Amino acid sequence: MSLTGTMSITRSADGVTLTPDGWSHSGTPDAYGYVSVLGGGLYMPVSSPGLPRVHFADPGEGLWWVGAAFGEPVAEALRSAVGDDGDGDAPPAVVADVALTPAGASACRAAAGAWLHRWWPAANPGIPALDVPLLEIELALNAWQAEVCLGNTVIAEALLSRNLPRLTALYASIDWSVAPERLPAHGRTIGLAARAALEVCDPSRADLGELRALHAKATDSLWEHALDAWGGEAWSAAAAELRAPVALAAGSSGTDEHRTIADWALLSPRSVAGRDGDVRWSETMDPDGNAVVGVVVDAGTSPRGALWARVLHPGDDEPAAVIHLTREGSAYRGTSEPIALASGTRVEVFDPMFDRGPRTDGTAAARALRTRVLRAIDDRLAAAGRPFDADEPASPFLAELAARGALP
């Protein structure tokens, strides 16, 4: 059963926005999953799933797919909001009884999957490990099914290509000759993911041959009609921009060693350990009265090859030093050149891939962010006890079921 509700369509100087009734989610990036769609972006609430919010910077592009995702009444309201030529003005409109189509549901699941990919932390006593390849396979399928909304299959191709061996093993583990009612609940998802891979992956890849042979054998079996029906239902698919903020360490100088937490807004949570004091920095004075700053960051379950750290003085716009942190075993380590230290000096750890410049709100904001993310994951794990339904936007992902030990 898909999500339904009422949406308002409003125009402003920066575009047109489709907002569901009751939308009250904060503007913090951890509050919703995001996927780039033709003409703008789609925001899917994660903790309390409902209809998504869509903002169009280019509403004319949105006219290509809004009807296919939300129904023709929403498309008509969008046309009125932008004017017949795409440039006019119109008063706000309200559309009741909006129901997501299969394409819209897939776009919402792509946004939710992007949130999981971005925010799920390293395994710890309270949070199980996330099976990232399994998540990426399902996320790629959602993107492939939502191509009409996203406008391309770039992400589907990238994620399926790098997880092709895992997808092939999953496909091979399913007995495709059994009666439909005996197929495991996740079989349809794996079957469609295989069809997506055969469509979007480079056909010259040698390792695609095994999946192609398995798929051909399955379609020659009693499952030929069922697989073809699934493919007919699937919307050919698409690409999501997986953006990820990165890690912050904040502390004040004055002792030999300072401990703080990595800020998940500045790096992938899985790249660091995710426990209190997972960032440590210290200063060693040289004969000239300058300090060499050393930084150690505990690595997580999906570590990067390296991270970086900024040494920041209060009131300075530019860092006093930028330190390259090389991963050595279970930690990232690095030291600065000799620099002057000041009262209130702090250190930020970040991943250049996600960096947006120095943070100004310190450790309290990092702790608040971590609390919100962990609460949202706890809520999703609790909901993972529900039956799996790949067509339902609010249904758990296979990787969440696996984390809970409930993979069907």
Side-chain angles (χ1 to χ4, degrees), residues 165-186:
R166 178 68 182 283
L167 174 58
T168 301
L170 286 168
Y171 196 89
S173 71
I174 296 172
D175 182 0
W176 297 100
S177 66
V178 300
E181 61 271 16
R182 294 178 56 197
L183 188 73
H186 64 289

Side-chain angles (χ1 to χ4, degrees), residues 6 30 34-35 47 140 144 156 161 174 183 199 226 253 258 273 312 328 335 350 365 367 369 378 386:
T6 299
D30 58 281
Y34 170 85
V35 65
S47 294
W144 181 72
S161 294
I174 296 172
L183 188 73
E199 177 180 309
S253 58
H258 314 273
L312 298 165
E328 301 174 5
T335 57
F350 66 95
R367 291 189 184 280
L369 168 64
D378 282 343
R386 298 179 306 169

